[in-house]
Amino acid sequence: MAVVALATLACGSTARLPISAGIGPAPELPPPRTSLIPTTKIATAVGWPAGMTPVGARGTRVNAFATALEHPRFVYTLPNGDVLVTEANAPPRPDDATGIRGWFFKRFQRKAGGAAPSANRISLLRDADGDGVAETRSVFIDSLNAPFGIVMVGHDLYVANTDAVLRFAYRDGATAISGRGDTVVRLPAGTRNHHWTKTIVASPDGRTLYVSIGSNSNAAENGMEVERDRASIWAIDATSGAHRSFATGLRNAAGLAIEPSTGALWAAVNERDELGGDLVPDYMTAVHDGAF
């Protein structure tokens, strides 16, 4: 599978190559730099100061649509303009991040704000007057298991938990959905579950769901058996739950999208960590059926 474009450099020590070296179908890949202590550079999580906002593109203005969310992960706009937000943190993973490297990993997670309980819910934000600020907020779906991706097909809302795709019946204008939903298909998870986020999109005809499943390690350091069905994108029949591997060898395709004019599936892939500031470049690519 050809690399079409680069997103950003991988997590690691100070980069030495210019950004241009990692763009295009043949990025420059210097020799890896390894060490017992991971070569990682983690930003400290801080909030925006009062009265400050990001600077938008020329002709645009940025303001806070909603605040005080608990680890907001994914935003999805419903046909009526309501905005759904998944609020989740990592599920319990007792067999992940063990040993010396695991100790450092957990320290980095705390520094980045990741070591916190998971809200495990989807919140609905409604901006009835269109002023760019949500006047109302409600718990739309609760008691989920580390939810991430959301997609609507007809009047069915599909939610990608860390361990399953669930289907909920949606009523126009609803501010909450009760019940546990129907399980469409179970997803690889378990007590290691290294890349726990699951992204979901639907084909243009709504018949196929594409779900990304990240690798269960950084570089298969725990053996290949725990990587079964991981580092891949599944194609799932939205009605029956029958599934197959659509593409493999994608370490952690955390972002999926359908290109609207062609219907092609695209992915943004997070690549290897801890090999230095220039390795391995994250990238965006068109995903082809059967590709590696």
Side-chain angles (χ1 to χ4, degrees):
M1 181 179 356
V3 173
V4 178
L6 171 76
T8 56
L9 63 86
C11 175
S13 58
T14 303
R16 300 179 179 182
L17 297 175
I19 292 176
S20 59
I23 295 176
E28 186 174 344
L29 302 177
R33 297 165 58 193
T34 60
S35 64
L36 177 63
I37 299 174
T39 56
T40 308
K41 189 173 184 179
I42 301 296
T44 301
V46 296
W48 282 93
M52 297 289 289
T53 63
V55 178
R58 181 177 299 177
T60 66
R61 178 174 57 88
V62 179
N63 64 269
F65 185 72
T67 59
L69 294 160
E70 294 186 49
H71 287 271
R73 295 285 181 172
F74 188 85
V75 176
Y76 187 82
T77 304
L78 295 172
N80 69 343
D82 286 343
V83 175
L84 302 181
V85 183
T86 51
E87 295 178 78
N89 208 353
R93 299 175 293 174
D95 293 331
D96 191 23
T98 58
I100 295 175
R101 298 176 72 86
W103 184 84
F104 278 100
F105 176 81
K106 290 172 183 177
R107 282 182 58 88
F108 295 149
Q109 286 290 299
R110 287 193 293 270
K111 181 179 180 181
S118 180
N120 288 336
R121 65 173 173 255
I122 298 175
S123 292
L124 181 142
L125 308 173
R126 178 170 291 175
D127 175 18
D129 59 9
D131 66 350
V133 177
E135 297 87 30
T136 61
R137 176 188 305 187
S138 62
V139 175
F140 191 64
I141 304 175
D142 205 357
S143 300
L144 296 167
N145 184 16
F148 190 80
I150 307 171
V151 69
M152 174 170 279
V153 178
H155 288 278
D156 290 326
L157 190 73
Y158 293 89
V159 177
N161 270 350
T162 191
D163 60 351
V165 174
L166 304 181
R167 179 172 52 233
F168 297 86
Y170 171 74
R171 178 177 53 82
D172 291 342
T175 57
I177 292 178
S178 60
R180 301 182 64 85
D182 298 323
T183 298
V184 178
V185 64
R186 305 294 299 182
L187 300 174
T191 57
R192 189 174 300 277
N193 204 14
H194 187 73
H195 290 114
W196 61 270
T197 59
K198 305 296 197 296
T199 307
I200 184 170
V201 297
S203 61
D205 61 11
R207 297 179 180 177
T208 303
L209 305 174
Y210 299 103
V211 175
S212 65
I213 302 166
S215 68
N216 213 6
S217 63
N218 186 39
E221 60 267 21
N222 301 305
M224 289 304 295
E225 182 59 31
V226 299
E227 301 295 344
R228 185 184 302 275
D229 294 325
R230 310 282 300 218
S232 65
I233 295 173
W234 282 11
I236 302 167
D237 184 279
T239 302
S240 69
H243 63 278
R244 63 183 179 86
S245 290
F246 183 80
T248 55
L250 298 129
R251 178 178 176 270
N252 187 24
L256 299 180
I258 300 293
E259 201 285 315
S261 62
T262 64
L265 177 66
W266 278 69
V269 182
N270 295 329
E271 259 297 340
R272 289 274 302 276
D273 298 324
E274 304 169 9
L275 296 179
D278 294 300
L279 289 178
V280 176
D282 299 339
Y283 62 91
M284 295 184 293
T285 187
V287 183
H288 303 287
D289 196 351
F292 178 86

